[in-house]
Amino acid sequence: ACSMHSTQASCSKWSTCSWSCSGSSTCSPKCGGGTICESRSADTCDWFSSCSWGCGSSSSSTPRRRRTVTYFCAGKLSGSYCSGDHVVTCGTGSSNAISSTYCSSGKCSEFGIRSASCGTASFCAGKISGKHCDGPYLKECSAASLAEASIVDCRDAGCSEGGVGDAACGTARFCMGKLSGKFCDGAKTVKSCPGNELVEVCRGSVDCQEGPDVGVATCGSSTFCIGKSSGSHCDGPYLKVCDAGTITSSKYCGSCSEGTIGRAECGTTNFCMGRISGSHCDGNVMKTCSGSSPTMQQFCDGSCVQAAGAAEAGCNAVLASGISGGADGATRASEVFVCMFAFLWLLLC
């Protein structure tokens, strides 16, 4: 026998649901666990505005909008390409990019076949093996290749050459005479000695600070974690993890916010609460959500792009999304399937 369900608790798949044995039935999908809309936020429930059917009669659906997702690497062969001021590396047979690198100088150059790089095209041509400066980029060249073996964006630290094939972000040969540890090479650069390796370039108005011990340096306050509880905290635009008064990790977020003590996030606190598992854009921060907390947080230098209606996001123009009205054949077929499923569900109630 049919029964009346008027409360959300007893009709968990829908926001409103009513029917009778002899009459018609109408169910409005709820964004939050329903068959039609699995997402919990209204802006990502974009398949239907309504879906109605009769007991044993007919079914119909009204598409509100259709999501479209365009992948930069779709149809491209394996290699690296310029997409605006980003170098995008594509793999064979996949629409997803392997990586996307932001060029801080705004210059991406393509050369050869499916080859691209920040800075000058074919920069390593004619150069001896070693590290060289290409503007703000530190490039490691091999005499046997036109392309660099590795590239580091020195950003505000700049790149300098101590000799032919001996270049570094910040000051070349900075670590000469220094003990092992981390030190400030100017206001913006954290270096690890004795290898003169770049640890981090401080972003925005934040500078490098040393102390309290020799060989300790970080962007922001080097004594930040002293007196703080173990967990994550905001030091300006940096998300820092503290453990027993020591900074164990530091991440640039663009913006950082704190919720409960020891629980800070890049971007917005509690962003993942109520969102389905997947990747989402929180402003210019891409977050991977699983449960109430992000499992990954990454600041996007260029922009974060969210696929409309999907728990899928990407940094730096790798993913382009749009919304279009109407429905194609595949969409209509899925609409009919959903409504048929709902009709069978009503018969079994």
CSV table of all heavy atoms in Angstrom, one decimal, residues 228-233 241-245 261-263:
chain,number,residue,atom,x,y,z
A,228,LYS,N,52.8,27.9,21.1
A,228,LYS,CA,51.5,27.6,20.5
A,228,LYS,C,51.3,26.1,20.6
A,228,LYS,O,52.2,25.3,20.7
A,228,LYS,CB,51.6,27.9,19.0
A,228,LYS,CG,51.4,29.4,18.8
A,228,LYS,CD,51.3,29.8,17.3
A,228,LYS,CE,50.8,31.2,17.1
A,228,LYS,NZ,51.7,32.2,17.7
A,229,SER,N,50.0,25.7,20.6
A,229,SER,CA,49.6,24.3,20.7
A,229,SER,C,50.0,23.6,19.4
A,229,SER,O,50.1,24.2,18.3
A,229,SER,CB,48.1,24.2,20.9
A,229,SER,OG,47.4,24.7,19.8
A,230,SER,N,50.2,22.3,19.4
A,230,SER,CA,50.5,21.5,18.2
A,230,SER,C,49.3,21.5,17.3
A,230,SER,O,48.1,21.4,17.7
A,230,SER,CB,50.8,20.0,18.6
A,230,SER,OG,52.0,20.0,19.4
A,231,GLY,N,49.5,21.7,16.0
A,231,GLY,CA,48.5,21.8,15.0
A,231,GLY,C,48.8,22.9,14.0
A,231,GLY,O,50.0,23.3,13.9
A,232,SER,N,47.9,23.3,13.2
A,232,SER,CA,48.1,24.3,12.2
A,232,SER,C,47.6,25.7,12.6
A,232,SER,O,46.6,25.8,13.3
A,232,SER,CB,47.3,23.8,10.9
A,232,SER,OG,46.0,23.6,11.2
A,233,HIS,N,48.4,26.7,12.2
A,233,HIS,CA,48.2,28.0,12.6
A,233,HIS,C,48.5,29.0,11.5
A,233,HIS,O,49.3,28.6,10.6
A,233,HIS,CB,49.0,28.4,13.9
A,233,HIS,CG,48.8,27.6,15.1
A,233,HIS,ND1,47.8,27.9,16.0
A,233,HIS,CD2,49.3,26.4,15.4
A,233,HIS,CE1,47.9,26.9,17.0
A,233,HIS,NE2,48.8,26.0,16.6
A,241,VAL,N,52.5,24.5,10.5
A,241,VAL,CA,52.2,23.4,11.4
A,241,VAL,C,53.2,23.4,12.5
A,241,VAL,O,54.4,23.4,12.3
A,241,VAL,CB,52.2,22.0,10.6
A,241,VAL,CG1,52.0,20.9,11.6
A,241,VAL,CG2,51.2,22.0,9.5
A,242,CYS,N,52.7,23.4,13.7
A,242,CYS,CA,53.6,23.5,14.9
A,242,CYS,C,53.5,22.2,15.7
A,242,CYS,O,52.5,21.5,15.7
A,242,CYS,CB,53.1,24.6,15.9
A,242,CYS,SG,53.1,26.3,15.2
A,243,ASP,N,54.7,21.8,16.2
A,243,ASP,CA,54.8,20.6,17.0
A,243,ASP,C,55.8,20.8,18.1
A,243,ASP,O,57.0,21.0,17.8
A,243,ASP,CB,55.2,19.4,16.2
A,243,ASP,CG,55.2,18.1,17.0
A,243,ASP,OD1,54.5,18.0,18.0
A,243,ASP,OD2,55.8,17.1,16.6
A,244,ALA,N,55.3,20.9,19.4
A,244,ALA,CA,56.2,21.1,20.5
A,244,ALA,C,57.0,22.4,20.4
A,244,ALA,O,58.2,22.4,20.6
A,244,ALA,CB,57.1,19.9,20.7
A,245,GLY,N,56.4,23.4,19.8
A,245,GLY,CA,57.1,24.7,19.7
A,245,GLY,C,58.0,24.9,18.5
A,245,GLY,O,58.6,25.9,18.3
A,261,ILE,N,41.3,26.4,17.8
A,261,ILE,CA,42.7,26.4,18.1
A,261,ILE,C,43.4,25.2,17.5
A,261,ILE,O,43.0,24.1,17.7
A,261,ILE,CB,43.0,26.5,19.6
A,261,ILE,CG1,42.3,27.8,20.1
A,261,ILE,CG2,44.4,26.5,19.9
A,261,ILE,CD1,42.4,27.9,21.7
A,262,GLY,N,44.5,25.5,16.8
A,262,GLY,CA,45.3,24.4,16.2
A,262,GLY,C,44.7,23.8,14.9
A,262,GLY,O,45.1,22.8,14.4
A,263,ARG,N,43.7,24.5,14.3
A,263,ARG,CA,43.1,24.0,13.1
A,263,ARG,C,42.9,25.2,12.2
A,263,ARG,O,41.8,25.8,12.1
A,263,ARG,CB,41.8,23.3,13.4
A,263,ARG,CG,41.2,22.6,12.2
A,263,ARG,CD,40.0,21.8,12.6
A,263,ARG,NE,39.4,21.1,11.4
A,263,ARG,CZ,38.4,20.3,11.5
A,263,ARG,NH1,37.9,20.0,12.6
A,263,ARG,NH2,37.9,19.7,10.4
